[in-house]
């Protein structure tokens, strides 16, 4: 047994007990109301989900297990994974044990590559990546043990096994998608001694003389792991996981939600938008030209990608973390400078539009400009990177959900007629 498993075996029973006793003693206490507007408005803001891995206060942004994300930017994604699962950062010994454990699980079965090579090259990289995650369902320990009659208190153990097996393989799978999709040559085998994110960077085959790309990938993977559980990818995976679909089905479902342009695909849209600006003005625009370009986007009925948020009402701290990285590592990279210029121009435009609640940049408004600098110029691949990281958060939420026995989700729908009646309309 790994140190992670030992630690969770010690801490999770108390977590489970506290939830059970809360349900028993305060099950009837009302914590929120549902208005007609909320029902018709994407359930925005209704408190109806339990998530202990992270929280996103509107005026602060991401806090993981009590620690603001800005205090975690130097941590490896493996450390954040451990933190999400256990509530503590790992000690040096725990981290080493965890990394060894993940390395022992990383071999990708041959049939995954057969599925990859059977895909049409012009499939979207997210569709290809998600399909490979689904193909791996064959390996599910949860499903096999469930079929054998596994008792409920063992569910989280089997879910953890599946999640670790999958997360360990994702860098090689995602790097394989990248090299195959863009005809970059043979897949690159993992190299011993690299951490999880640096290994991903290495297998993509990006030239990285000073290690800057590996540093970006560590930060990227750390920043995108988790964002509480109301966002589309996390929420979807909670719903699917609550039916006891195994982690491969569950994580794939979440990743399918991540592939929407209003969610994780916004990083692709942002780079394409920035490159459109550069093409239109043959290089860096003036602030006035940029202002007009943004206005044209809005006038045509489209959103400015990378700006706004369903929860946040301040600059996304993950944006700030990337901005600080760019200022230090590649301050003169043209696309990064343009992303910075957009930040100086666009919020003032969005502030003038009354219906927009958050005029500030989210994480997607800048990540691609940094990837572009290091040579990852293929915007359609960007959401795959987001997905590799987000699988860590979804996994952590899933392990906790199975540990406390989150029941099958089944909210109640009503007809328009019933809604009107309830509203007295
Ligand atoms: N550009 C133009 N219009 C915007 C806007 C933007 N960046 N952000 C919000 N709006 C519009 C909405 O489309 C909505 O218009 P309608 O009422 O006509 O439909 C109105 O302003 C109100 O929206 P809101 O309450 O401020 O924001 P929502 O919670 O409805 O939506 C989000 C949030 C992220 C979908 C929206 O801000 C958006 O589309 N942003 C651009 C896409 C993006 O960057 N997505 C990534 C988010 C982070 C992530 O999940 O990864």
């Amino acid at each position: 047994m790994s140190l992670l498993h030992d630690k969770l075996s010690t801490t999770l029973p108390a977590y489970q007990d506290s939830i059970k006793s809360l349900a028993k003693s305060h099950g009837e206490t009302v914590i929120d109301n549902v208005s007609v507007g909320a029902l018709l408005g994407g359930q925005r803001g209704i408190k109806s989900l339990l998530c202990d891995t992270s929280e996103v206060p509107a005026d602060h942004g991401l806090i993981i297990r009590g620690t603001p994300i800005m205090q975690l930017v130097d941590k490896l994604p493996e450390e954040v994974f451990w933190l999400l699962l256990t509530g503590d950062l790992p000690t040096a010994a725990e981290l080493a044990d965890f990394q060894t454990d993940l390395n022992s699980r990383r071999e990708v079965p041959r049939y995954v590559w057969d599925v990859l090579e059977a895909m049409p090259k012009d499939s979207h990289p997210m569709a290809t990546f998600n399909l490979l995650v689904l193909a791996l369902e064959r390996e599910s320990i949860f499903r096999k043990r469930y079929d054998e009659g596994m008792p409920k208190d063992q569910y989280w153990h089997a879910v953890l096994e599946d999640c670790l097996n999958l997360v360990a393989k994702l860098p090689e799978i995602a790097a394989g998608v990248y090299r195959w999709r863009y005809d970059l040559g043979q897949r690159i085998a993992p190299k011993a001694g690299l951490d999880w994110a640096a290994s991903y960077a290495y297998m993509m085959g990006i030239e990285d003389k000073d290690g800057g790309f590996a540093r970006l990938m560590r930060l990227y993977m750390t920043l995108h792991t988790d964002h509480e559980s109301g966002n589309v990818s996390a929420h979807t995976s909670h719903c699917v996981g609550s039916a006891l679909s195994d982690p491969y089905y569950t994580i794939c479902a979440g990743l399918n939600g991540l592939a929407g342009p209003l969610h994780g695909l916004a990083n692709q849209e942002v780079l394409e938008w920035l490159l459109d600006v550069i093409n239109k003005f043959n290089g860096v625009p003036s602030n006035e030209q940029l202002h007009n370009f943004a206005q044209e986007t809005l006038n045509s009925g489209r959103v400015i990608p990378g700006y706004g948020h369903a929860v946040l009402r301040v600059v996304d701290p993950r944006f700030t973390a990337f901005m600080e990285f760019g200022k230090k590592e590649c301050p003169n990279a043209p696309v990064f400078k343009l992303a910075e210029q957009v930040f100086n121009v666009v919020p003032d435009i969005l502030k003038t539009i009354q219906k927009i609640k958050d005029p500030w940049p989210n994480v997607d408004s800048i990540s691609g400009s940094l990837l572009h600098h290091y040579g990852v110029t293929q915007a359609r691949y960007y959401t795959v990177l987001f997905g590799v990281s987000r699988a860590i958060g979804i996994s952590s939420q899933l392990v906790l959900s199975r540990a406390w026995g989150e029941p099958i989700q089944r909210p109640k729908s009503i007809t328009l007629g019933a809604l009107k009646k309830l509203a007295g309309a």
Side-chain angles (χ1 to χ4, degrees), residues 346-374:
V346 160
D348 284 341
I349 303 174
L350 299 182
K351 279 182 211 167
T352 65
I353 304 173
Q354 212 182 357
K355 68 176 181 180
I356 298 180
K357 297 190 191 68
D358 175 41
W360 301 112
N362 60 60
V363 67
D364 296 316
S365 71
I366 189 167
S367 55
S369 71
L370 297 168
L371 291 166
H372 188 274
H373 167 69
Y374 288 102

Side-chain angles (χ1 to χ4, degrees), residues 34 156 229 272-273 342:
V34 181
W156 75 259
S229 78
E272 287 170 352
W273 193 87
V342 173

Side-chain angles (χ1 to χ4, degrees), residues 44 262-263 266 298 303-304 306-308 310 355-357 362 364:
R44 205 69 88 260
L262 297 188
H263 189 20
L298 292 166
V303 295
I304 308 282
Y307 282 76
K355 68 176 181 180
I356 298 180
K357 297 190 191 68
N362 60 60
D364 296 316

